[in-house]
């Protein structure tokens, strides 16, 4: 089974849909968040967005997320600190 199929990708040749992974996009720059969100939604991913580390942790507590795209340099809780907190909550 290919990696794409294992992740539950849509079968574009038959039109069958499967559940795509949910991606949490964390970036303090709104333009980047919106652009990545638009691209991933176009590719049929479920997405959530967060403007900082605190929002990211709240989103992780509220909804199931499969993948986190995390900016490293953010004001307040930076990406590395956010990653440490994510790993504590979801080892």
């Amino acid at each position: 089974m290919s990696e794409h199929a294992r992740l539950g990708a849509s079968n574009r040749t038959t039109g069958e849909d499967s559940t795509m992974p949910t991606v949490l996009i964390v970036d303090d720059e709104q333009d980047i968040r919106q652009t990545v969100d638009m691209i991933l939604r176009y590719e049929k991913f479920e997405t959530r967005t967060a403007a900082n580390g605190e929002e990211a942790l709240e989103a992780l507590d509220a909804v199931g997320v499969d993948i986190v795209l995390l900016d490293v340099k953010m004001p307040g809780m930076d990406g590395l600190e956010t990653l440490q907190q994510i790993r504590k909550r979801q080892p």
Side-chain angles (χ1 to χ4, degrees):
M1 176 181 289
S2 74
E3 181 71 9
H4 195 64
R6 188 182 67 75
L7 292 174
S10 296
N11 184 333
R12 296 173 200 271
T13 57
T14 64
E16 296 175 19
D17 286 327
S18 299
T19 303
M20 291 292 284
T22 299
V23 180
L24 175 60
I25 305 156
V26 186
D27 200 302
D28 59 313
E29 296 184 42
Q30 183 178 6
D31 291 344
I32 292 173
R33 277 194 322 272
Q34 288 176 337
T35 300
V36 174
D37 182 59
M38 181 180 63
I39 291 166
L40 291 175
R41 285 181 181 272
Y42 177 80
E43 293 296 330
K44 306 295 186 227
F45 284 88
E46 294 290 326
T47 61
R48 304 288 185 270
T49 62
N52 55 53
E54 292 84 4
E55 284 184 20
L57 296 175
E58 289 174 13
L60 285 169
D61 289 341
V63 296
V65 173
D66 301 300
I67 301 168
V68 178
L69 295 179
L70 182 60
D71 184 12
V72 175
K73 288 189 171 186
M74 296 185 293
M77 183 186 298
D78 69 15
L80 295 177
E81 186 179 347
T82 304
L83 178 59
Q84 289 175 340
Q85 293 298 317
I86 291 170
R87 293 184 78 186
K88 283 181 183 178
R89 293 170 188 225
Q90 299 182 1

